[in-house]
Amino acid sequence: MNTTEALELFYTWQAKLSAYNHAMSLIYYDGATVAPKGTAANRGRALSVLSEETYKLSTSEETLSLLSYLDGHRDKLDAKDARAVYLALKDIKEMQKIPMDEYIAYEELLVEADDVWHRAKEQSDFALFCPVLEKIFETTKRFAHYCAPEKEPYNYCLDKYEKGLTMDACDEFFAALKAKIVPLIKKIVNAPSIDDSCLRGYFDEISQEKFSYELMRAMGIDLEHCGLGTTEHPFTTSIGSHHDVRITTNYDRSNLSYSMFSVIHEGGHALYDMNSDDELAYTLLDGGVSMGIHESQSRFYENLLGRSEAFINYIFPRMQECFPEQLKDVTADEVYRAINLVTPSLIRTEADEVTYCLHVMIRYELEKRVIGGELAVKDLPAEWNRLYKEYLGVDVPDDKHGVLQDSHWSGGGIGYFPSYALGSAYGAQLLHKMKETVDVEKCLSEGNFAPINEWNREHIWKHGCLFEPSVLLENALGEKFDPSYYTDYLEEKYSKIYSL
Amino acid sequence: MNTTEALELFYTWQAKLSAYNHAMSLIYYDGATVAPKGTAANRGRALSVLSEETYKLSTSEETLSLLSYLDGHRDKLDAKDARAVYLALKDIKEMQKIPMDEYIAYEELLVEADDVWHRAKEQSDFALFCPVLEKIFETTKRFAHYCAPEKEPYNYCLDKYEKGLTMDACDEFFAALKAKIVPLIKKIVNAPSIDDSCLRGYFDEISQEKFSYELMRAMGIDLEHCGLGTTEHPFTTSIGSHHDVRITTNYDRSNLSYSMFSVIHEGGHALYDMNSDDELAYTLLDGGVSMGIHESQSRFYENLLGRSEAFINYIFPRMQECFPEQLKDVTADEVYRAINLVTPSLIRTEADEVTYCLHVMIRYELEKRVIGGELAVKDLPAEWNRLYKEYLGVDVPDDKHGVLQDSHWSGGGIGYFPSYALGSAYGAQLLHKMKETVDVEKCLSEGNFAPINEWNREHIWKHGCLFEPSVLLENALGEKFDPSYYTDYLEEKYSKIYSL
């Protein structure tokens, strides 16, 4: 075998993985959108066969010897191929450190956990979920030990979602946010409140869907390659490659902003996923590189652009066209103020831009302490409620609106939450950098996203997984990450809105 | 290896095939329903990998030796396992008779043909489609020769869709239909026509969709396991097993009956597919056994039940609820007469019950002559038009409304058409038999499909592919197939409607 032949096999292997991923993503997407309600078990059978095939394809001796061969001839590979080989080997080696039976048992545990969590949330009963969650935390710790015995287990968890992230870095980051955000919230809470009643009323689903497409078009999303579905929880997924991406939303008939900002948020994820360089399609380098960078894009579009005065001025006439009756006596300025109302509240996904990171911090602290052995899973609800009171001043009425609200833990996503806050902060610094060469205000006020998207494509999107997230970010920023851009942005924007 | 172990491997193998089928059916369904328009090539890549994997899984030496072992120990298998082994070996042996490269070239030809046919139909230009269609007919003949050199090629084609069917049987069957139907049509055409204007108007898609679900519920379709989508051409597909079936329809805003009878027709397919015995799920015996039996069910629900007076009387108030404005001055009797209007026309899928089989006969004759070498593909349009004039008395204005109307030939479905007519005739005889023990009129007038469905489940559905279609049918009928039940039914029903 020579390098050319090996590379050909490597591309075929990656294309095969893409096809399995295509099938599995689509089965998942179908299940969440249009599949008949009673078909979960049928879907489960197919998914179990396909994921076993994927596992075999990834860990077969043939694959390993191919990858080792290529790894040994790194000097003959271009940067893309070398990176793909590196990522493939890294994943496979990690997979192999976990005993197969424990891996399968964990996959089964997560299927059970999803079901138990749904029921527990419905009944607002943490005790129901507690034994399963204990097992998830235990397994997470055990796997962390298998894969990276030299690391603190929670550092391993953080690194999984944002390569290189550590507790030390998180602590420092969150301390910086807290120092600025907590006083800001205090001032806002004492200022006269904003009336957001213009966003309340009755907004039928058909008109909301029409408005969703308006938003997607305005953002410059290519509707030939991006679909929109309806699900309980909004999400974004690629189907096989960046050539087919789907976003979903959920329509709240009594609240116009919920779906509006879900669509813009997921649309940001979609733009990132859809704009990998075409050469990367059907390889391991296709799509977004980390959750932090992904959230930097989704929250960039949702908040930095979507909740800006310039964008609201542009989109408002289109909003009025979709909801002529409901918005006939409303002004763009009223909408702008309403979507930027700040109130300490219970639910992360409905939180405003200012209080949002406090929700994340609470989850980060709790995860860190549970994984570190300082907090028992059974004590999570009490600690959750105590921290909500301390950080946000709100009383949690029940576990449904408290510790059971998010799906992340039941899905095994421990270490995921910080990427939301990090992404928000990355975004603010990226915007600052972008403004050096792009007149963002002008673009937004004209509904011309092209120059903004072009900047993001050039600096972030097209690179797919070619670089580690920190490298990608620093290349784009031209300097080190610094959360003060984010806190400065929040202070400036909300001081103006609340006349502080 | 002993038989028990071999059977276990055989079940695992079948389950794996089901998972691949699940993925491929879903990719197809997604492409036809909600996938963004520009994603066909992306889908094509995944399908090509998955079908290659399926081919390998089917024809691997491991599989063959397993199947041969089981075949050699037939006496130790129960009827179900023995049948599944027989069907698997039959398919694989046939697949192996076709050289791999020709098989792949044909698959690629069909992908091209689908595209070319769509364009040719749009432009009403047979010349564009002709070269591809020639290749399809040639390949069909060549493959027939590879697989069954002892047979007339067109007999091989017929047998593919309805096991045991021959040109002799078809000729006899169609002659019997023609002898009764042609004089009936003559009488109807000379009788005063029916006014079907109550079905014309403006029927919005949302209300039509609501009505579709009413129909599905009325038919006793389990909506927990059957979904409804919208596509250009209505179809039914199983996703992985009979536990997940999807039907589709197409809403014509100016014509209420088009989607109504599409839904009932596809609903009939769905009932058949969904009601295989649960033991058959994830095996080769799951789902319908042949196109003829499948059409006997779909056209049974569509016409024998759906277009009956008793059913229309039952469903009419629900129709009025869905379309209160449009139907406020209409009676059930007017609807009953309107949906049974007989007019010789151009398009098979829109044809009434009486003229329908003539559309099928024309296609049968043309296919037979092309495969038999008596007619050149390039002469198909002229012959098509001549036969439409002769059989139905209509002038074909262009190829779009003529020889290019159906998708079957571009999909390689040569030999498929007769099953539509056969199925219609099977259905009439099944209804006659059912009426010995079920008060069908009463059931329909009360909207109680349970006893009807129960009879079909017991005699047809639950058996999946356990029996050859002719055996299944004769067991259900208690006698030989006899098309005079069908012609008698048509004569009786339409003599009454048209007061002949």
Side-chain angles (χ1 to χ4, degrees):
Chain A
M1 186 160 58
N2 61 35
T3 321
T4 316
E5 287 162 1
L7 273 176
E8 210 164 290
L9 289 172
F10 182 51
Y11 276 97
T12 307
W13 176 77
Q14 290 179 90
K16 209 179 270 185
L17 277 182
S18 302
Y20 285 109
N21 285 335
H22 186 122
M24 291 190 285
S25 310
L26 188 61
I27 292 173
Y28 177 76
Y29 179 78
D30 173 71
T33 53
V34 301
K37 291 298 157 239
T39 56
N42 190 57
R43 206 152 42 245
R45 288 190 69 126
L47 282 174
S48 134
V49 170
L50 294 168
S51 58
E52 199 183 320
E53 291 298 300
T54 308
Y55 186 92
K56 280 188 205 156
L57 183 63
S58 297
T59 55
S60 76
E61 291 206 7
E62 210 182 325
T63 300
L64 267 178
S65 81
L66 173 67
L67 292 172
S68 304
Y69 176 88
L70 285 167
D71 192 45
H73 294 75
R74 242 169 311 172
D75 51 325
K76 290 190 182 143
L77 306 182
D78 68 15
K80 282 189 184 116
D81 293 333
R83 170 84 177 157
V85 169
Y86 164 78
L87 287 177
L89 272 173
K90 186 173 153 276
D91 274 4
I92 293 169
K93 281 183 184 157
E94 198 163 302
M95 235 188 239
Q96 286 180 324
K97 284 183 188 159
I98 299 170
M100 176 76 163
D101 56 335
E102 292 190 34
Y103 180 85
I104 292 172
Y106 184 58
E107 292 291 313
E108 285 167 1
L109 175 65
L110 293 184
V111 172
E112 186 198 345
D114 181 63
D115 181 53
V116 174
W117 167 71
H118 270 101
R119 280 187 289 127
K121 184 176 175 182
E122 218 173 273
Q123 299 163 32
S124 197
D125 181 3
F126 182 79
L128 191 63
F129 185 45
C130 188
V132 182
L133 187 58
E134 277 170 354
K135 281 190 209 159
I136 290 176
F137 270 103
E138 273 164 28
T139 314
T140 303
K141 264 160 90 167
R142 200 166 61 246
F143 284 10
H145 185 74
Y146 290 146
C147 295
E150 75 288 1
K151 275 189 189 170
E152 290 275 350
Y154 193 55
N155 277 343
Y156 170 77
C157 297
L158 293 171
D159 181 88
K160 240 173 96 179
Y161 296 98
E162 194 66 7
K163 177 82 187 157
L165 189 63
T166 60
M167 289 187 273
D168 286 347
C170 270
D171 288 340
E172 196 185 323
F173 167 62
F174 283 127
L177 293 196
K178 217 164 143 186
K180 298 283 187 173
I181 289 176
V182 171
L184 178 62
I185 294 174
K186 271 205 186 113
K187 280 195 251 174
I188 292 173
V189 168
N190 290 323
S193 185
I194 286 172
D195 176 11
D196 71 340
S197 59
C198 62
L199 303 174
R200 316 277 162 174
Y202 181 82
F203 305 92
D204 68 275
E205 284 158 27
I206 307 271
S207 305
Q208 286 204 59
E209 190 178 275
K210 196 178 144 203
F211 184 51
S212 300
Y213 283 111
E214 282 289 345
L215 290 168
M216 290 168 77
R217 263 188 293 267
M219 291 171 73
I221 294 172
D222 173 5
L223 295 178
E224 289 283 300
H225 294 91
C226 183
L228 171 69
T230 311
T231 52
E232 201 188 328
H233 299 284
F235 66 86
T236 301
T237 184
S238 294
I239 311 289
S241 81
H242 71 271
H243 295 304
D244 185 355
V245 172
R246 317 287 173 96
I247 69 169
T248 74
T249 187
N250 186 304
Y251 299 111
D252 179 344
R253 287 193 203 137
S254 64
N255 179 346
L256 181 52
S257 63
Y258 182 74
S259 168
M260 174 173 178
F261 289 97
S262 292
V263 167
I264 307 179
H265 179 97
E266 302 306 332
H269 283 303
L271 282 169
Y272 184 16
D273 274 339
M274 293 170 77
N275 285 286
S276 283
D277 209 278
D278 277 347
E279 278 186 18
L280 303 183
Y282 315 109
T283 76
L284 295 176
L285 305 180
D286 199 33
V289 68
S290 75
M291 287 326 300
I293 305 292
H294 241 303
E295 292 298 329
S296 85
Q297 299 304 297
S298 55
R299 293 187 57 82
F300 184 93
Y301 283 82
E302 177 193 354
N303 296 317
L304 304 175
L305 307 185
R307 292 187 204 269
S308 71
E309 202 165 358
F311 177 68
I312 295 301
N313 283 335
Y314 165 75
I315 205 74
F316 182 67
R318 279 139 205 94
M319 269 172 106
Q320 273 189 318
E321 270 170 40
C322 293
F323 309 101
E325 270 311 303
Q326 298 94 321
L327 299 181
K328 68 169 184 266
D329 297 323
V330 173
T331 65
D333 186 57
E334 282 170 313
V335 170
Y336 171 63
R337 293 172 57 78
I339 59 164
N340 287 300
L341 168 70
V342 176
T343 19
S345 65
L346 291 166
I347 307 294
R348 178 185 60 83
T349 55
E350 296 169 12
D352 57 80
E353 236 182 319
V354 183
T355 60
Y356 185 84
C357 288
L358 298 182
H359 292 262
V360 172
M361 274 180 232
I362 292 171
R363 289 152 176 81
Y364 164 71
E365 281 194 29
L366 294 173
E367 286 184 349
K368 189 171 75 167
R369 286 160 61 193
V370 173
I371 293 284
E374 297 154 32
L375 179 68
V377 170
K378 71 171 173 39
D379 296 328
L380 273 171
E383 271 303 282
W384 180 284
N385 299 354
R386 194 183 64 76
L387 288 172
Y388 262 79
K389 187 69 183 176
E390 186 184 321
Y391 284 24
L392 287 151
V394 297
D395 292 304
V396 178
D398 52 38
D399 293 341
K400 183 175 180 170
H401 297 87
V403 69
L404 290 174
Q405 68 182 263
D406 292 307
S407 62
H408 300 61
W409 290 345
S410 63
I414 293 160
Y416 186 121
F417 284 116
S419 40
Y420 289 113
L422 272 175
S424 303
Y426 292 168
Q429 194 170 351
L430 285 165
L431 179 64
H432 187 267
K433 181 71 183 171
M434 183 189 288
K435 283 182 172 175
E436 288 178 6
T437 49
V438 178
D439 188 342
V440 175
E441 293 282 289
K442 186 164 171 282
C443 290
L444 291 175
S445 63
E446 292 168 354
N448 174 22
F449 276 68
I452 297 170
N453 292 351
E454 201 36 60
W455 196 96
N456 283 329
R457 182 182 294 114
E458 213 39 55
H459 293 87
I460 306 282
W461 301 342
K462 74 172 188 186
H463 303 295
C465 303
L466 255 176
F467 304 105
E468 296 295 344
S470 57
V471 174
L472 179 73
L473 188 68
E474 282 180 24
N475 286 348
L477 294 173
E479 61 176 334
K480 290 255 173 228
F481 167 57
D482 175 356
S484 68
Y485 287 98
Y486 183 49
T487 48
D488 287 351
Y489 154 81
L490 290 175
E491 277 177 343
E492 192 192 325
K493 174 174 174 181
Y494 288 90
S495 294
K496 207 172 146 202
I497 292 176
Y498 278 91
S499 314
L500 300 178
Chain B
M1 185 160 59
N2 61 35
T3 321
T4 314
E5 287 161 359
L7 273 176
E8 209 164 291
L9 289 172
F10 182 52
Y11 277 96
T12 306
W13 177 78
Q14 292 178 90
K16 210 179 271 188
L17 278 181
S18 303
Y20 284 109
N21 286 334
H22 186 119
M24 290 190 285
S25 311
L26 187 62
I27 291 172
Y28 177 75
Y29 179 78
D30 174 70
T33 53
V34 301
K37 291 301 155 239
T39 56
N42 189 58
R43 207 153 39 247
R45 287 188 68 125
L47 283 173
S48 132
V49 170
L50 294 168
S51 59
E52 199 185 318
E53 291 297 298
T54 308
Y55 185 93
K56 281 189 204 156
L57 183 63
S58 297
T59 55
S60 74
E61 290 205 6
E62 209 184 325
T63 300
L64 266 177
S65 80
L66 172 68
L67 291 172
S68 305
Y69 175 88
L70 285 167
D71 192 46
H73 294 76
R74 243 170 311 174
D75 52 324
K76 290 192 180 141
L77 306 183
D78 68 16
K80 281 188 185 117
D81 294 333
R83 171 83 176 156
V85 169
Y86 164 78
L87 287 176
L89 272 173
K90 185 173 154 278
D91 273 4
I92 293 170
K93 280 183 184 157
E94 201 164 300
M95 234 186 240
Q96 287 180 323
K97 283 183 188 160
I98 300 170
M100 175 74 164
D101 56 335
E102 293 190 32
Y103 180 86
I104 291 173
Y106 184 58
E107 292 291 314
E108 284 168 1
L109 176 64
L110 294 184
V111 172
E112 185 198 345
D114 180 64
D115 182 53
V116 175
W117 167 72
H118 269 102
R119 280 187 289 127
K121 185 176 174 183
E122 218 173 272
Q123 300 164 28
S124 197
D125 181 1
F126 182 78
L128 191 62
F129 184 45
C130 188
V132 182
L133 187 57
E134 277 171 355
K135 282 190 209 157
I136 290 175
F137 270 104
E138 273 165 28
T139 314
T140 302
K141 265 162 88 167
R142 199 166 62 246
F143 285 9
H145 185 74
Y146 290 145
C147 294
E150 74 289 358
K151 276 189 188 168
E152 289 275 352
Y154 194 54
N155 277 344
Y156 170 77
C157 296
L158 293 171
D159 181 89
K160 240 173 94 177
Y161 296 99
E162 193 67 6
K163 177 83 188 158
L165 189 63
T166 61
M167 288 187 276
D168 286 349
C170 269
D171 287 340
E172 195 184 324
F173 168 62
F174 283 127
L177 292 196
K178 216 163 142 186
K180 297 283 186 173
I181 289 176
V182 171
L184 178 62
I185 294 175
K186 270 203 186 115
K187 281 196 252 175
I188 291 172
V189 168
N190 291 324
S193 185
I194 285 172
D195 177 11
D196 71 342
S197 58
C198 63
L199 303 174
R200 315 276 163 176
Y202 181 81
F203 305 92
D204 68 275
E205 283 157 28
I206 308 269
S207 306
Q208 287 204 61
E209 190 178 275
K210 197 179 143 203
F211 184 51
S212 300
Y213 284 110
E214 282 288 345
L215 290 167
M216 289 169 78
R217 263 188 293 267
M219 292 171 73
I221 295 172
D222 174 5
L223 296 178
E224 289 282 300
H225 293 92
C226 184
L228 171 70
T230 310
T231 53
E232 201 188 326
H233 300 283
F235 67 86
T236 301
T237 185
S238 294
I239 311 287
S241 80
H242 72 270
H243 295 304
D244 185 355
V245 172
R246 316 287 173 96
I247 70 169
T248 75
T249 186
N250 186 306
Y251 300 111
D252 179 344
R253 289 193 202 134
S254 64
N255 179 346
L256 182 52
S257 63
Y258 182 74
S259 168
M260 175 174 177
F261 289 98
S262 291
V263 168
I264 307 178
H265 179 95
E266 302 305 332
H269 283 303
L271 281 168
Y272 184 17
D273 273 337
M274 293 170 78
N275 284 287
S276 283
D277 208 276
D278 276 347
E279 277 185 19
L280 304 182
Y282 315 107
T283 76
L284 296 175
L285 306 180
D286 199 33
V289 69
S290 76
M291 286 327 300
I293 304 291
H294 240 303
E295 292 299 330
S296 84
Q297 298 305 296
S298 55
R299 293 187 58 80
F300 184 92
Y301 283 82
E302 177 192 353
N303 296 318
L304 305 174
L305 308 186
R307 291 185 204 272
S308 71
E309 203 166 0
F311 177 68
I312 295 301
N313 284 336
Y314 165 74
I315 205 72
F316 183 66
R318 278 140 204 94
M319 269 173 106
Q320 273 188 317
E321 269 170 41
C322 293
F323 309 102
E325 269 311 301
Q326 298 94 322
L327 299 181
K328 68 168 185 267
D329 299 323
V330 173
T331 66
D333 187 57
E334 282 170 314
V335 170
Y336 171 63
R337 292 172 57 79
I339 58 163
N340 287 301
L341 169 70
V342 176
T343 18
S345 65
L346 291 167
I347 308 294
R348 178 184 60 82
T349 54
E350 296 168 13
D352 58 81
E353 236 181 322
V354 182
T355 60
Y356 186 85
C357 288
L358 298 182
H359 292 262
V360 173
M361 274 179 232
I362 292 171
R363 287 151 178 81
Y364 164 71
E365 282 195 29
L366 294 173
E367 287 184 350
K368 188 170 77 167
R369 286 161 60 194
V370 173
I371 293 283
E374 298 154 31
L375 179 66
V377 170
K378 70 171 173 41
D379 296 327
L380 273 171
E383 270 304 283
W384 180 286
N385 298 354
R386 192 182 65 74
L387 288 172
Y388 261 80
K389 187 70 184 176
E390 185 184 320
Y391 284 23
L392 286 151
V394 295
D395 292 305
V396 178
D398 53 37
D399 293 339
K400 184 176 179 169
H401 297 88
V403 69
L404 290 174
Q405 68 183 261
D406 292 307
S407 63
H408 299 62
W409 289 345
S410 63
I414 293 161
Y416 185 120
F417 283 115
S419 38
Y420 288 114
L422 272 175
S424 303
Y426 293 168
Q429 194 169 350
L430 285 166
L431 179 64
H432 187 268
K433 182 70 185 171
M434 183 190 289
K435 282 182 170 173
E436 287 178 7
T437 49
V438 178
D439 188 343
V440 175
E441 293 282 290
K442 186 163 171 283
C443 289
L444 290 175
S445 64
E446 292 168 354
N448 174 22
F449 276 68
I452 297 170
N453 291 351
E454 201 37 58
W455 196 95
N456 283 329
R457 182 182 293 116
E458 212 40 54
H459 294 86
I460 306 283
W461 301 343
K462 74 172 189 185
H463 303 296
C465 303
L466 255 175
F467 304 107
E468 295 295 342
S470 57
V471 175
L472 179 74
L473 189 67
E474 281 180 24
N475 285 348
L477 294 172
E479 62 175 335
K480 290 255 173 228
F481 167 56
D482 175 356
S484 69
Y485 287 98
Y486 183 50
T487 48
D488 287 353
Y489 154 81
L490 290 175
E491 277 178 341
E492 193 192 324
K493 174 173 175 180
Y494 288 91
S495 296
K496 208 171 146 205
I497 291 176
Y498 278 91
S499 315
L500 302 179

